Amino acid sequence: MAAEQVFTNGRIYTLDPAGTMAEAIAVRDGRIIGIGSNESIKQFIGPDTLQADLGGKVVIPGCIDSHCHLVMHGIACTRSADLTDSRSIVELLDRLRAHAAKSPNNKWIVGERFDQEIFAEGRWVTREDLDQVSADKPILVARLCYHAIVANSAALLPIKDKLTREQWETGRLTEDDCGLVWSQVPDCTEAELEKAMLHAFNEARNAGITSVHCQIDSMEELTLLRRLRDEGRLPIRVRVQWPYHLMDKLVAEGAKTGSGDDFIRIGSIKIFMDGSMGARTCAMCEPFADDPGNCGDLFRTDKELSEMLIKAQKNGFQAAIHTIGDLAITHGLGGIELAMPEGNEDNILRHRLEHVAQMSPEIVSRMAKLNVLASVQPQFIITDFWTHERVGPVRYKWCYPFKTMLNAGIRFGMGSDCPVERLDTMELLHRAVNRDVRNQDECLTVEETLRGYTNGSAYIGFEEQYKGSLETGKLADFVILSGDPFEVPKEKLGDLKAVDTVLGGKIK
């Protein structure tokens, strides 16, 4: 059988179980029909076969981002002020003014991804600060974790009767209360949503990401996603992560985890157990070291979670459970265990915990015993540089303990949580391998990280049979890199780039 396309003269890390190296790949109908030496692939070359010379460049399987919010990211990039790395409140306000000047017809001024931890003023931005930008036009700025926002007076006045005195005075809201302000921001038109979606998906592919486990928050978003697929304009593969409160919408379609095709599949039902470390709203067993008396917020107990899981299990859904603090993780594991007799023995539905920031020896042992999976975000390790002070030196040893989890037999995939972190595959690799100097015991090797980002993410999404490694019969999704991650000095890993991203054998 002749290939439609062959790629030759490469240094190909297949990341199959044996760690096979190859030189060439033959592709037909979007899948690999042959992989091996240049000589062995000649048999697949016919008169109409397209040939691409890789010129000795390194190839790895396509990266699979196991946790992201790309629609949110696209909307932020196309409609909002970018507050990333603002070093002071003054700079944040200047960025908002510049954005407002460029978009004078916008009814709201929205800014996203500030981090108060790096402000020169050493405090949060406030309602009164934002009023300096505009006293009349409503303003909302979101912390990079999106678990906390600050709004100006114009945005808060319509809901003032629903606010506490502190919320009004500071302008700061967290967790579900954020919705009081977000719900006032005008929705995107279909054209704006399409622009946002394509912007984010193309950015992901340019970064070397071929598949994502992406939060889709409405039937309108899902309908648009399907239209882009049908029109042949979807640049990556999407595994839909779906909110629990809309689960019945999928049930009505007859859908469950795994429903779909090679471009769009239904993935997990998303359930929140707590907030974020950055907003001090994640649920902790003991108070934050830098905020005595505050243990964060536990959104539901293990018993309450188990009831939600049983409903999901009866309808054939995997669950993706947001757990950051150790108390939330404990209740998350408890809920999974309580629900196991109702159709999820030995976690056959592969329920997964998202983030698992603050672990402990007991949690690691229990998680491995219950065969519970995880989706982890290595970029957090450096971005959240303040974690050591937030939890203290003793607990910090158990923050993001990837090596310990791996050694315990816990299977995990890797993602960015974009827009919380950048869509930068080599930055993720760099941070997993190098980490913070205070926790070097948890550094992963290059191979362990790449396998987590490919094999691991495929496994936690029930996709290991056709993604995650370069083998005959699997999808021809791979990345051509600017250098060899196994040979460059480890401190230079972040300098590597995706030169080209191939999806189904086609170069973008």
Side-chain angles (χ1 to χ4, degrees):
M1 178 187 298
E4 296 169 344
Q5 174 93 52
V6 297
F7 298 83
T8 58
N9 297 319
R11 181 169 175 77
I12 302 169
Y13 291 91
T14 69
L15 297 184
D16 68 0
T20 306
M21 295 293 296
E23 295 177 307
I25 301 173
V27 179
R28 186 178 180 85
D29 295 328
R31 293 182 179 264
I32 298 170
I33 60 171
I35 185 165
S37 66
N38 289 326
E39 186 65 30
S40 70
I41 295 302
K42 287 182 179 179
Q43 63 181 304
F44 298 103
I45 299 175
D48 298 320
T49 301
L50 299 175
Q51 300 184 51
D53 189 334
L54 294 168
K57 288 188 172 66
V58 168
V59 170
I60 61 171
C63 297
I64 303 173
D65 192 312
S66 66
H67 185 113
C68 59
H69 306 260
L70 293 191
V71 180
M72 180 191 297
H73 175 57
I75 292 171
C77 290
T78 55
R79 294 211 313 177
S80 302
D82 183 5
L83 306 180
T84 305
D85 295 331
S86 294
R87 293 287 165 175
S88 67
I89 293 171
V90 171
E91 181 180 351
L92 178 148
L93 299 180
D94 285 343
R95 292 194 192 187
L96 291 175
R97 290 187 185 100
H99 177 74
K102 289 191 298 184
S103 309
N105 296 324
N106 286 2
K107 295 180 179 179
W108 277 65
I109 301 171
V110 178
E112 305 189 34
R113 299 196 76 257
F114 78 84
D115 185 358
Q116 82 286 353
E117 300 287 351
I118 62 174
F119 287 165
E121 296 86 350
R123 63 173 177 85
W124 283 77
V125 62
T126 67
R127 173 178 61 86
E128 292 183 348
D129 292 326
L130 297 179
D131 284 345
Q132 297 176 37
V133 176
S134 177
D136 303 317
K137 186 175 285 190
I139 301 174
L140 178 159
V141 294
R143 192 186 182 279
L144 78 167
C145 65
Y146 289 86
H147 288 262
I149 65 168
V150 181
N152 73 340
S153 297
L156 296 177
L157 278 171
I159 57 168
K160 187 176 179 181
D161 62 329
K162 299 178 181 178
L163 304 177
T164 66
R165 180 177 179 179
E166 181 181 2
Q167 287 174 328
W168 168 252
E169 290 180 349
T170 63
R172 189 194 321 160
L173 286 74
T174 60
E175 303 307 335
D176 288 349
D177 287 342
C178 296
L180 295 171
V181 181
W182 276 115
S183 62
Q184 299 178 66
V185 179
D187 290 335
C188 289
T189 65
E190 184 176 356
E192 288 172 334
L193 189 60
E194 178 180 315
K195 178 182 178 181
M197 199 174 277
L198 288 173
H199 175 97
F201 290 167
N202 278 300
E203 183 182 337
R205 181 157 173 181
N206 290 338
I209 296 167
T210 53
S211 295
V212 293
H213 300 183
C214 181
Q215 187 74 19
I216 300 296
D217 287 320
S218 69
M219 287 304 298
E220 290 77 15
E221 291 180 8
L222 183 57
T223 298
L224 174 57
L225 188 67
R226 288 167 169 167
R227 175 166 68 78
L228 292 175
R229 173 202 58 196
D230 295 343
E231 294 172 354
R233 296 198 291 147
L234 198 56
I236 56 174
R237 307 184 195 278
V238 179
R239 187 177 188 273
V240 173
Q241 306 293 86
W242 192 251
Y244 180 85
H245 73 274
L246 293 178
M247 181 170 65
D248 289 345
K249 298 278 189 183
L250 294 183
V251 173
E253 289 189 349
K256 59 183 180 179
T257 293
S259 298
D261 55 36
D262 285 343
F263 268 91
I264 301 175
R265 289 190 188 277
I266 300 301
S268 305
I269 297 298
K270 181 73 174 290
I271 301 173
F272 282 88
M273 291 297 288
D274 66 345
S276 78
M277 188 76 77
R280 295 186 181 89
T281 55
C282 62
M284 303 289 283
C285 292
E286 301 292 336
F288 295 107
D290 62 357
D291 190 7
N294 179 12
C295 292
D297 302 319
L298 183 68
F299 295 169
R300 52 184 53 87
T301 66
D302 51 6
K303 179 66 167 64
E304 292 167 333
L305 173 63
S306 71
E307 293 169 358
M308 299 170 74
L309 291 176
I310 289 169
K311 181 178 179 181
Q313 291 165 189
K314 287 180 177 178
N315 287 292
F317 289 106
Q318 177 191 39
I321 306 165
H322 172 109
T323 54
I324 290 184
D326 50 0
L327 182 63
I329 299 169
T330 299
H331 278 269
L333 292 173
I336 292 172
E337 186 170 18
L338 287 171
M340 277 184 168
E342 302 294 331
N344 189 38
E345 295 78 6
D346 197 33
N347 199 27
I348 58 171
L349 287 172
R350 300 188 189 177
H351 292 334
R352 42 191 269 191
L353 299 184
E354 309 296 296
H355 312 307
V356 290
Q358 183 62 68
M359 301 282 271
S360 70
E362 295 76 20
I363 287 173
V364 170
S365 177
R366 187 180 185 191
M367 197 167 174
K369 180 180 178 181
L370 294 175
N371 198 28
V372 173
L373 315 180
S375 170
V376 300
Q377 291 68 48
Q379 286 159 287
F380 286 179
I381 298 166
I382 305 302
T383 300
D384 296 352
F385 63 90
W386 35 259
T387 304
H388 184 270
E389 286 68 38
R390 184 128 312 158
V391 302
V394 175
R395 284 184 293 183
Y396 185 71
K397 295 177 181 179
W398 290 93
C399 282
Y400 308 112
F402 303 149
K403 192 78 164 188
T404 297
M405 293 167 65
L406 194 66
N407 291 340
I410 296 171
R411 303 190 73 157
F412 54 76
M414 293 182 171
S416 63
D417 201 13
C418 176
V420 176
E421 295 287 351
R422 288 182 287 268
L423 291 169
D424 189 332
T425 52
M426 295 298 103
E427 180 182 79
L428 184 151
L429 172 63
H430 168 72
R431 292 186 178 186
V433 171
N434 292 295
R435 288 191 68 115
D436 172 55
V437 295
R438 289 170 291 198
N439 207 351
Q440 290 289 294
D441 290 344
E442 297 296 342
C443 291
L444 297 177
T445 66
V446 169
E447 181 174 356
E448 288 168 344
T449 305
L450 290 179
R451 286 188 179 276
Y453 210 179
T454 55
N455 305 173
S457 293
Y459 182 83
I460 71 171
F462 285 98
E463 297 176 321
E464 70 273 14
Q465 296 303 313
Y466 47 92
K467 292 182 185 178
S469 60
L470 299 175
E471 302 177 68
T472 300
K474 291 194 172 185
L475 292 165
D477 297 350
F478 53 89
V479 187
I480 304 168
L481 297 178
S482 61
D484 191 333
F486 289 90
E487 294 188 355
V488 301
K490 69 176 186 177
E491 63 271 14
K492 298 292 186 181
L493 286 169
D495 296 335
L496 298 176
K497 300 296 178 185
V499 176
D500 280 303
T501 305
V502 178
L503 193 81
K506 297 179 180 179
I507 297 177
K508 190 171 182 291

